[in-house]
Amino acid sequence: METTLRGVGVSHGVAIGEVRHMGTAVLEPPAKQIPPEDAAREQARARKAVEDVAADLIARGNLAGGEAQAVLEAQAMMAQDPELTADVNRRIAVGSTAERAVYDALAAYRALLAGAGEYLAGRVADLDDVRNRIVARLLGVPMPGVPDSDEPYVLIARDLAPADTALLDPTLVLGFVTEEGGPTSHSAILARALGVPAVVALPGAGELAEGTVIAVDGSTGEIFVEPSAEKKAQLEAAAAARKAALSTSTGPGATSDGHKVPLLANVGGPADVPAAVEAGAEGVGLFRTEFLFLDDSKQAPSEDKQVEAYRQVLEAFPEGRVVVRVLDAGADKPLDFLTPADEPNPALGVRGLRSLLDHPDVLRTQLTALAKASEGLPVYLEVMAPMVADRTDARAFADACREAGLRAKFGAMVEIPSAALRARSILQEVEFLSLGTNDLAQYTFAADRQVGAVSRLQDPWQPALLDLVALSAEAAKAEGKSCGVCGEAASDPLLACVLTGLGVTSLSMGAASIPYVRATLAKYTLAQCERAAAAARAADTADEARTAAQAVLSGE
């Protein structure tokens, strides 16, 4: 009998197939004692296992490239954390086996994060994966993960670690469903990059029996269990129509009446550029530079290394627009040389621009490298700062850009509600705004972006979030400047129309979403988008806002 479940759709497309579950977690090692003379040997075993796991994660990252590479390199750094190593060695010294010491040390660190209110819940999921990989290697058992199958299937998991998501084979994994996660979790971001339909935050997903046929709609978040032939045909027809529309939609982004909305790509490094170019991106709206800094948590990369990496991306978009975000470290992206190690609440501490202003040499080197990388190129370079709170922040960043001799537009990301509320003041110091809707939602609703239990508050359709977008866009228009969106909200085709109606001047997203957004925008006039935006803001909940906008655009 057909039943319908609803989670959070995070990656477009429809997948129909049999359920296969992720392997179960590594069993807890026995708590047996070792004699003192074995301690050195066990410590060596633990050290070797950590090194092997870190090397494997880095190798997986090199294969995957792009955003996945940065995430996996961060996991490798986590595995090699000196404090964790010291704790493992201490536990072995008092009688634990290597596997038990690793298990207990990582469990203690996990409990510490959970006890702090799970502000680092995304890192907790990654930490679990690191623990499982090290313990499995020490026990000599295979690492549980994506099931072996010769036939395509829909993958079900409590959550997917980045190391698993990054190397999914789209020819076998038709789509995936998780119980945990949210629209901005690592799994969601990587699913969009892969172009695999995905639904997250679905309670009870693990109870779906192995072999059950389900249909996954990654756009609506609906899961149809044992769908009827009629439902399958309906979903397949809708998917085919969507694919046909995509194939005929080319060129710059625009509404049906010619209002231009540049569609840009979010990239995590040079490896993401080919997909962006193939998707027809008109430039880069968010160039995340963290990938360069994750190679070595002890020191910043050299100026020459930065110049080389930046130029690769800039050269790919001759006469296009490339918006570079300077290093956004802190919170879930700590760097030993930059971020404090003892903050009680890193998400609300010294992160983003705050870290860079505390370490002006790091900021100066990055800005100088960007200036050198853009020399002689016709690219339209724009550089923006993350986590700008007020005009003082914006002025400090603009001054640093000028002192570095950077010939580019300077901008500010709107990720803190104060920046949206005082956007016009900030625009006295910078030339553009870029809305990071992921963090803006997190700080607006006090809802950690990695915690599935509060995923409804991370929904970019929340009317309060739309109000902040509108405030920012209105301020930019009044100042004659631009205001783009580079958060995951831009990847939702329907929401892209609403954002356009709110006055947003460009949209940046993962490359796989660009054709969907281009095709959808081309169906509606600017006036229709404005009416849909007004209807969404008049609603009281995210679901009501989505429904109201859809009703306007469908002419109901």
Side-chain angles (χ1 to χ4, degrees):
M1 178 179 176
E2 180 181 312
T3 57
T4 304
L5 307 173
R6 181 181 287 275
V8 178
V10 296
S11 185
H12 306 300
V14 171
I16 302 174
E18 292 187 0
V19 162
R20 294 286 183 274
H21 287 267
M22 281 285 287
T24 56
V26 172
L27 294 175
E28 181 178 346
K32 62 182 182 181
Q33 290 291 106
I34 61 168
E37 59 268 23
D38 288 348
R41 184 194 66 194
E42 290 297 291
Q43 288 171 346
R45 285 183 65 227
R47 186 166 55 252
K48 178 68 163 54
V50 166
E51 291 171 355
D52 288 347
V53 165
D56 179 62
L57 289 169
I58 290 171
R60 286 169 176 260
N62 290 336
L63 283 173
E67 295 185 41
Q69 184 171 8
V71 172
L72 292 175
E73 287 176 349
Q75 266 196 295
M77 286 168 50
M78 184 187 298
Q80 297 171 305
D81 184 280
E83 291 185 15
L84 287 174
T85 299
D87 192 15
V88 169
N89 286 336
R90 181 186 61 80
R91 291 173 187 274
I92 292 174
V94 296
S96 284
T97 61
E99 49 266 36
R100 186 70 208 191
V102 168
Y103 185 90
D104 288 341
L106 287 163
Y109 188 29
R110 189 188 197 284
L112 183 67
L113 296 184
E118 291 197 279
Y119 284 102
L120 298 178
R123 286 180 64 82
V124 166
D126 294 354
L127 191 70
D128 287 345
D129 183 59
V130 167
R131 177 202 64 204
N132 288 347
R133 291 178 185 279
I134 298 172
V135 171
R137 192 170 288 268
L138 286 165
L139 291 174
V141 299
M143 173 63 195
V146 178
D148 289 328
S149 176
D150 294 329
E151 298 296 325
Y153 58 90
V154 176
L155 183 62
I156 307 292
R158 183 184 66 80
D159 200 357
L160 280 170
D164 292 317
T165 315
L167 296 182
L168 288 179
D169 182 351
T171 63
L172 285 177
V173 182
L174 302 171
F176 66 76
V177 180
T178 66
E179 290 193 40
E180 299 293 330
T184 59
S185 65
H186 284 153
S187 293
I189 292 170
L190 295 177
R192 285 189 283 270
L194 286 167
V196 176
V199 171
V200 301
L202 178 70
E207 297 171 13
L208 291 167
E210 190 87 2
T212 303
V213 176
I214 65 172
V216 178
D217 190 327
S219 299
T220 66
E222 291 175 303
I223 305 293
F224 303 96
V225 183
E226 299 290 1
S228 64
E230 182 181 359
K231 173 60 71 175
K232 286 182 183 179
Q234 179 185 345
L235 290 169
E236 288 169 348
R242 199 176 294 152
K243 186 175 181 179
L246 294 180
S247 65
T248 58
S249 176
T250 58
T255 58
S256 63
D257 56 341
H259 175 73
K260 293 183 178 180
V261 187
L263 302 182
L264 312 170
N266 294 343
V267 303
D272 288 342
V273 169
V277 173
E278 184 179 352
E282 297 168 59
V284 173
L286 172 60
F287 178 10
R288 302 181 179 95
T289 57
E290 289 75 42
F291 76 101
L292 275 169
F293 293 79
L294 292 171
D295 286 343
D296 185 351
S297 67
K298 304 298 183 185
Q299 61 183 1
S302 68
E303 182 181 297
D304 288 344
K305 182 176 180 180
Q306 292 189 53
V307 170
E308 181 183 358
Y310 301 150
R311 196 168 180 90
Q312 285 182 55
V313 175
L314 297 176
E315 287 176 337
F317 295 94
E319 300 185 10
R321 177 186 178 199
V322 175
V323 184
V324 179
R325 181 181 70 190
V326 293
L327 176 62
D328 184 14
D332 63 342
K333 291 170 287 190
L335 292 170
D336 292 348
F337 67 89
L338 199 67
T339 49
D342 55 353
E343 287 188 309
N345 189 343
L348 301 181
V350 182
R351 62 167 297 194
L353 180 62
R354 299 168 187 174
S355 293
L356 293 173
L357 293 178
D358 281 351
H359 298 79
D361 54 323
V362 176
L363 177 58
R364 188 182 309 112
T365 298
Q366 184 169 27
L367 294 174
T368 302
L370 284 165
K372 290 183 177 180
S374 61
E375 285 178 1
L377 296 180
V379 66
Y380 295 96
L381 176 63
E382 301 185 10
V383 182
M384 63 184 181
M387 300 297 292
V388 171
D390 55 16
R391 183 172 179 175
T392 300
D393 279 351
R395 182 187 302 120
F397 178 65
D399 287 345
C401 289
R402 282 188 284 267
E403 289 169 10
L406 191 61
R407 294 183 178 180
K409 285 187 176 182
F410 317 141
M413 291 197 71
V414 177
E415 301 166 285
I416 304 173
S418 63
L421 294 168
R422 300 289 295 172
R424 198 159 182 181
S425 172
I426 288 172
L427 283 166
Q428 304 311 302
E429 306 292 341
V430 296
E431 299 173 78
F432 69 94
L433 300 177
S434 183
L435 287 141
T437 52
N438 307 346
D439 271 326
L440 185 57
Q442 172 171 252
Y443 292 120
T444 298
F445 297 102
D448 193 304
R449 56 189 283 187
Q450 302 291 348
V451 178
V454 293
S455 62
R456 78 171 185 86
L457 296 171
Q458 272 290 330
D459 191 326
W461 282 94
Q462 285 284 357
L465 188 65
L466 299 181
D467 287 344
L468 293 175
V469 172
L471 277 175
S472 303
E474 289 162 5
K477 183 177 181 180
E479 294 295 326
K481 296 179 177 179
S482 63
C483 177
V485 168
C486 64
E488 293 301 314
S491 64
D492 179 337
L494 180 61
L495 185 51
C497 295
V498 167
L499 295 172
T500 298
L502 292 174
V504 166
T505 55
S506 65
L507 298 166
S508 189
M509 65 210 76
S513 298
I514 290 175
Y516 291 91
V517 173
R518 182 192 293 119
T520 304
L521 269 178
K523 292 164 59 177
Y524 306 108
T525 64
L526 176 60
Q528 286 177 298
C529 293
E530 290 171 339
R531 289 197 296 272
R537 288 184 68 189
D540 292 318
T541 69
D543 285 343
E544 290 173 2
R546 186 185 291 104
T547 301
Q550 181 66 70
V552 169
L553 294 177
S554 62
E556 295 177 8

